[in-house]
């Protein structure tokens, strides 16, 4: 059931006012980012120097089997730190996985958490960290800034370049009951320090490099074109968009190019810094539903939806897109959108999907509108706007 426009407008205005009251227009305090080949070792040394003796490693099993996590944690092992493992994180992590990790954190008396992996591991690790001093059910933290005020110190080593989760205080956890995506946020969820180490990204498969890269692009674009500009959101969003345009084609052509891998890691990180200040927008609101309904990978869904939503925005996003166009190597808003679509095509991501069913359009639209009213996109989308986007991406 879609609410009347006047109610949706009032809700969005309320959310906007509340967000500005809660967070102000100043930048979110930056945390520590170590950058470059070998930075994972330096990050581990910081954990050692902080006198943590038992550290919970939150990761996924396939990554651990590849030996990448052991490599990231080498310095901890050499320093004699006790590593306690939770490697049960899966794509679209669930509250059950969070509980499994939280139980290990408590039973093993770990004092810090190191997340190694993509957005799923980092998001799960944030909520596991938040259980340190709280007996609340994690589901009760759904919403903006409702996570506990304290959490276990969280360190992160991303092994993809896209999600930006290493730079945000938010996490998305799937509720197994209705398969909905639950957003949880709070200042204590922001990692204490992160390492952007390109050595760990060299074996990333092309399909994941492409999808996560387009997720990063979507973060930069959505943070830049919205009605809220806060702190460093505009500058970091531009660095994200320019970085993806510059480095993604190169990293796809030459996956072992360390400079290009680092360029993409930085672009994704800046995208995270940007959305941590002003949040994502309507593209994510639609893409999240495609993930929930059909398990479309997050980056693939964003890549599909992005150009269509930007066209639907029309004049409301025109001026900002004109400013982004030179970063994509073109001029004008229309050319900027076309360049984003060409980038998607050139990295081999689909423009539509057979998984999306026309019979679901109504339900997807209602949920997408509800979610998007919590964001600060250039304008409020209508049901026909979203249906137009869904028709364009339904094969
Ligand atoms: Fe995203």
């Amino acid at each position: 059931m879609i609410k009347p426009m006047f109610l949706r407008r009032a809700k969005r205005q309320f959310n906007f006012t509340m967000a500005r009251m809660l967070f102000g227009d100043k930048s979110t305090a930056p945390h520590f980012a170590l950058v470059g080949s070998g930075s994972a070792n330096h990050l581990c040394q910081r954990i050692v120097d902080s006198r943590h003796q038992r550290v919970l490693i939150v990761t996924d099993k396939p990554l651990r089997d590849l030996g990448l996590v052991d490599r990231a944690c080498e310095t901890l092992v050499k320093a004699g730190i006790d590593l306690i493992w939770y490697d049960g994180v899966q794509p679209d992590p669930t509250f059950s996985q969070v509980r499994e990790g939280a139980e290990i954190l408590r039973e093993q008396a770990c004092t810090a958490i190191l997340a190694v992996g993509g957005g799923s591991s980092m998001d799960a690790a944030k909520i596991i960290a938040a259980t340190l001093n709280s007996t609340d059910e994690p589901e009760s933290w759904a919403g903006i800034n409702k996570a506990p005020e304290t959490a276990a110190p969280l360190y992160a080593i991303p092994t993809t370049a896209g999600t930006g989760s290493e730079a945000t205080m938010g996490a998305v956890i799937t509720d197994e009951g209705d398969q909905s995506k639950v957003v949880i946020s709070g200042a204590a969820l922001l990692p204490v320090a992160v390492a952007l180490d390109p050595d760990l990204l060299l074996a990333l498969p092309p399909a994941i490099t492409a999808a996560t890269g387009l997720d990063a692009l979507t973060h930069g674009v959505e943070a830049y074109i919205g009605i809220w500009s806060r702190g460093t959101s505009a500058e970091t969003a531009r660095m994200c968009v320019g970085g993806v345009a510059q480095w993604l084609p190169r990293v796809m052509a030459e996956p072992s190019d360390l400079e290009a891998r680092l360029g993409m890691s930085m672009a994704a990180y800046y995208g995270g810094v940007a959305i941590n200040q002003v949040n994502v927008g309507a593209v994510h609101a639609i893409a999240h539903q495609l993930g929930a309904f059909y398990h479309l990978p997050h980056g693939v869904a964003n890549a599909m939806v992005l150009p269509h939503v930007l066209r639907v925005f029309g004049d409301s996003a025109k001026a900002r897109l004109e400013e982004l166009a030179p970063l994509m190597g073109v001029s004008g808003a229309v050319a900027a959108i076309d360049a984003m679509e060409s980038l998607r095509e050139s990295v081999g991501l689909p423009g539509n999907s057979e998984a999306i069913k026309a019979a679901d359009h109504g339900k997807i639209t209602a949920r997408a509108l509800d979610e998007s009213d919590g964001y600060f996109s250039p304008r409020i989308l209508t049901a026909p706007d979203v249906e137009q986007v869904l028709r364009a991406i339904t094969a």
Side-chain angles (χ1 to χ4, degrees):
M1 175 70 177
I2 297 162
K3 296 187 190 82
M5 184 55 93
F6 77 92
L7 275 181
R8 295 182 52 214
R9 208 168 267 141
K11 177 185 167 188
R12 181 165 125 127
Q13 188 54 47
F14 175 77
N15 284 335
F16 192 33
T17 307
M18 289 303 291
R20 294 185 73 174
M21 275 172 62
L22 263 174
F23 301 113
D25 281 333
K26 291 209 179 88
S27 176
T28 314
H31 58 280
F32 210 90
L34 297 154
V35 171
S37 278
S39 57
N41 294 335
H42 296 300
L43 180 75
C44 289
Q45 189 57 49
R46 280 183 60 87
I47 299 174
V48 176
D49 294 345
S50 300
R51 302 188 184 284
H52 292 292
Q53 187 52 47
R54 292 171 76 76
V55 176
L56 177 67
I57 311 295
V58 175
T59 188
D60 64 85
K61 190 137 191 339
L63 197 66
R64 192 178 176 191
D65 289 345
L66 279 175
L68 267 181
V69 191
D70 283 333
R71 200 168 145 201
C73 299
E74 255 168 19
T75 299
L76 292 178
V77 175
K78 279 187 195 150
I81 304 299
D82 297 327
L83 301 191
I84 312 298
W85 291 85
Y86 177 61
D87 63 4
V89 180
Q90 291 179 14
D92 302 316
T94 62
F95 283 106
S96 300
Q97 288 160 37
V98 166
R99 286 197 176 82
E100 285 170 6
E103 207 173 308
I104 299 172
L105 175 75
R106 192 175 50 249
E107 279 179 0
Q108 297 288 331
C110 302
T111 58
I113 297 180
L114 172 60
V116 184
S120 297
S121 287
M122 289 187 278
D123 281 7
K126 287 175 185 176
I127 309 306
I128 292 168
T131 65
L132 182 74
N133 299 318
S134 174
T135 52
D136 295 344
E137 297 296 334
E139 286 89 341
S140 68
W141 303 329
I144 305 296
N145 219 23
K146 291 184 182 161
E149 285 178 9
T150 60
L154 172 65
Y155 299 82
I157 303 178
T159 58
T160 62
T163 162
S165 179
E166 68 276 14
T168 76
M169 57 180 200
V172 181
I173 305 295
T174 298
D175 185 326
E176 294 114 311
D178 61 1
Q179 287 299 305
S180 62
K181 304 264 184 175
V182 177
V183 177
I184 297 174
S185 74
L189 306 187
L190 192 65
V192 176
V194 306
L196 306 178
D197 190 334
D199 298 353
L200 300 172
L201 276 79
L202 294 180
L204 198 63
I208 298 179
T209 301
T212 48
L214 266 288
D215 184 27
L217 177 70
T218 309
H219 296 157
V221 172
E222 294 215 276
Y224 194 70
I225 65 173
I227 57 171
W228 195 11
S229 181
R230 172 184 166 214
T232 62
S233 67
E235 293 96 318
T236 47
R238 289 177 62 88
M239 288 167 90
C240 170
V241 172
V244 173
Q246 180 179 1
W247 298 111
L248 186 58
R250 194 161 137 187
V251 91
M252 292 302 294
E254 187 42 76
S256 60
D257 184 330
L258 269 181
E259 190 188 11
R261 285 284 184 195
L262 181 58
M264 272 310 295
S265 289
M266 297 290 291
Y269 172 78
Y270 284 128
V273 174
I275 60 172
N276 194 46
Q277 296 173 80
V278 293
N279 217 335
V280 290
V283 178
H284 272 74
I286 299 173
H288 281 155
Q289 314 316 319
L290 301 176
F293 273 70
Y294 310 117
H295 295 288
L296 279 187
H298 179 67
V300 172
N302 272 329
M304 242 179 238
V305 172
L306 177 67
H308 300 294
V309 167
L310 295 180
R311 288 185 186 115
V312 156
F313 279 146
D315 283 349
S316 64
K318 188 166 175 274
R320 290 299 247 181
L321 285 171
E322 279 170 0
E323 290 168 9
L324 290 181
L327 301 174
M328 302 293 300
V330 295
S331 102
V334 171
I337 300 171
D338 291 346
M340 291 172 201
E341 199 157 34
S342 299
L343 181 61
R344 172 191 56 71
E345 255 174 50
S346 71
V347 297
L349 294 178
N352 55 35
S353 168
E354 287 176 359
I356 304 169
K357 301 281 172 265
D360 295 334
H361 283 188
K363 270 188 285 181
I364 295 172
T365 299
R367 287 200 197 182
L369 290 178
D370 197 43
E371 180 176 332
S372 72
D373 288 348
Y375 300 142
F376 311 117
S377 300
R379 73 167 171 83
I380 296 181
L381 292 186
T382 63
D385 289 335
V386 179
E387 280 156 7
Q388 184 182 326
V389 172
L390 291 174
R391 275 196 302 277
I393 59 169
T394 301

